[in-house]
Amino acid sequence: MVEQITSTSSVLQSRLAQIRQITQDLTRTLQAQRDLLQTRGDIMISSEGLNGLQQVHDELAELGKRLLGDATEIQQLRALARTTELINSALDLNLILDDVIDTVVAMTGAERGYIILRDTETNRLEIHVARNAEQQNLRPEEILLSYSVIEQVARDGQLIVTNDAANDKGLSNSTSIVGLRLRSILCAPLMRKGHLTGVIYADNRIRTDLFGEREKRLVLAFANQAAVAIENALLFEEVRASLVEITHMKDLMANVFASIPSGVITTDADDLITTFNAAATRILDIPEEDALHQPVWAVLPAPDESL
């Protein structure tokens, strides 16, 4: 459906361009004829027809702009939907972060994009990904951004957009903006249940008026989805790290029990055997797999009541 709409929009834009060219050529022809007749005498030709043609041309141009804007928004929404589906099905944090920032840069026409996340232990904001428009990671010396804007968004939890940072009264006193000569800046919070987990930052050092209302709406909506996916990926990493630690501890305890020369048997609250080391196997002459999960009194020899 999206492809059909995009194709139709392209055809309409092409037809409008042809009609605009025809009206422009006709206007020039009539203008030349009017000028010629006026030089021959007192012949005066009303300019009403020429004005009408010019108005038609201008209206067609405006319609073409609206169609182009609609087609651009459709492409942006398409990219947004694809990436939202991906990030909501993926649990690899690095993959999610790269795809999120690449989508933001492509949707907005930014030169560079960053994702800054809050460290849960130190509460500090740290850059996790920095990419350019070619979907390449920035080198450390290429990472140039306004920390004052980032800190303000992190503090207030509100989107900041400026399309001429050098002349923005609210930002022009920022040392980073003045020194880096930044032009267009967009910084959106990553919020999850009222809690800020980080920010998305995009900028352009050359173009002004880059981020319009369409880009603001798209990035805000996308940031909400991205925040959920990023938090899920972070939780998954924590769980995975915990499982690795538990496995390591389990292996360590198994090695300790295996090295003890005495028989070691451990049970749970129901007196079922959970650990049966090699020495216990040798002493009782019972394989470990036969002892595990069995009642302890079914494995241990019966006590000698004569003693």
Side-chain angles (χ1 to χ4, degrees):
M1 182 63 179
V2 173
E3 290 82 357
Q4 183 178 357
I5 293 173
T6 304
S7 177
T8 302
S9 177
S10 299
V11 172
L12 287 173
Q13 290 181 54
S14 177
R15 296 287 175 82
L16 284 173
Q18 294 174 359
I19 297 173
R20 288 201 309 272
Q21 186 62 49
I22 292 172
T23 56
Q24 188 174 27
D25 293 343
L26 182 57
T27 300
R28 290 173 179 172
T29 299
L30 291 176
Q31 179 71 49
Q33 291 179 352
R34 187 184 68 172
D35 294 343
L36 178 61
L37 291 173
Q38 287 179 344
T39 59
R40 294 181 177 178
D42 297 329
I43 301 175
M44 298 297 295
I45 298 178
S46 173
S47 60
E48 183 176 346
L50 289 173
N51 292 339
L53 283 173
Q54 185 60 46
Q55 182 178 354
V56 170
H57 179 271
D58 294 343
E59 290 176 353
L60 288 172
E62 183 62 30
L63 179 59
K65 289 180 181 179
R66 290 201 299 270
L67 282 173
L68 180 60
D70 291 343
T72 300
E73 186 165 8
I74 289 171
Q75 292 292 341
Q76 291 173 330
L77 289 172
R78 184 182 181 186
L80 181 62
R82 182 195 64 79
T83 303
T84 300
E85 181 180 0
L86 172 63
I87 64 178
N88 284 326
S89 62
L91 289 173
D92 186 308
L93 181 61
N94 292 328
L95 174 65
I96 290 174
L97 294 178
D98 285 349
D99 206 75
V100 166
I101 203 60
D102 288 343
T103 301
V104 169
V105 170
M107 283 195 306
T108 61
E111 182 184 9
R112 303 166 304 186
Y114 307 82
I115 293 181
I116 300 97
L117 299 180
R118 189 185 295 282
D119 187 282
T120 55
E121 295 183 0
T122 65
N123 206 37
R124 295 179 56 185
L125 292 169
E126 299 179 354
I127 297 174
H128 277 248
V129 61
R131 308 263 281 181
N132 59 23
E134 287 73 40
Q135 300 185 358
Q136 298 170 335
N137 292 325
L138 297 177
R139 297 189 300 273
E141 64 272 17
E142 295 176 315
I143 298 177
L144 307 169
L145 67 170
S146 172
Y147 287 98
S148 60
V149 170
I150 292 170
E151 291 169 357
Q152 184 175 338
V153 171
R155 182 180 65 249
D156 301 336
Q158 299 293 324
L159 173 76
I160 286 182
V161 173
T162 179
N163 282 303
D164 191 1
N167 295 315
D168 190 320
K169 294 181 180 179
L171 301 173
S172 58
N173 292 329
S174 170
T175 304
S176 56
I177 289 176
V178 174
L180 300 175
R181 298 180 180 179
L182 300 174
R183 294 294 183 182
S184 297
I185 299 174
L186 183 149
C187 190
L190 291 167
M191 305 291 295
R192 175 63 174 157
K193 296 180 180 179
H195 174 68
L196 185 132
T197 59
V199 300
I200 294 176
Y201 176 101
D203 66 17
N204 194 296
R205 294 169 294 180
I206 302 173
R207 293 181 58 185
T208 58
D209 299 320
L210 184 62
F211 307 123
E213 290 299 322
R214 181 192 302 115
E215 285 71 27
K216 294 179 188 178
R217 293 194 305 269
L218 286 170
V219 171
L220 273 177
F222 188 53
N224 292 333
Q225 293 292 324
V228 176
I230 290 170
E231 183 176 358
N232 289 342
L234 287 171
L235 289 174
F236 179 74
E237 284 201 344
E238 290 178 6
V239 171
R240 183 166 55 184
S242 297
L243 287 174
V244 170
E245 184 176 356
I246 291 171
T247 302
H248 175 71
M249 291 300 297
K250 183 179 178 181
D251 292 341
L252 179 62
M253 290 184 65
N255 291 333
V256 170
F257 285 144
S259 65
I260 296 175
S262 302
V264 176
I265 301 174
T266 63
T267 64
D268 60 16
D270 297 322
D271 289 334
L272 298 179
I273 297 175
T274 56
T275 302
F276 198 82
N277 74 343
T281 296
R282 185 177 63 256
I283 294 169
L284 297 174
D285 194 25
I286 298 175
E288 180 184 7
E289 58 271 18
D290 292 343
L292 289 176
H293 311 303
Q294 297 299 317
V296 64
W297 300 115
V299 173
L300 290 178
D304 188 347
E305 296 180 355
S306 64
L307 298 177

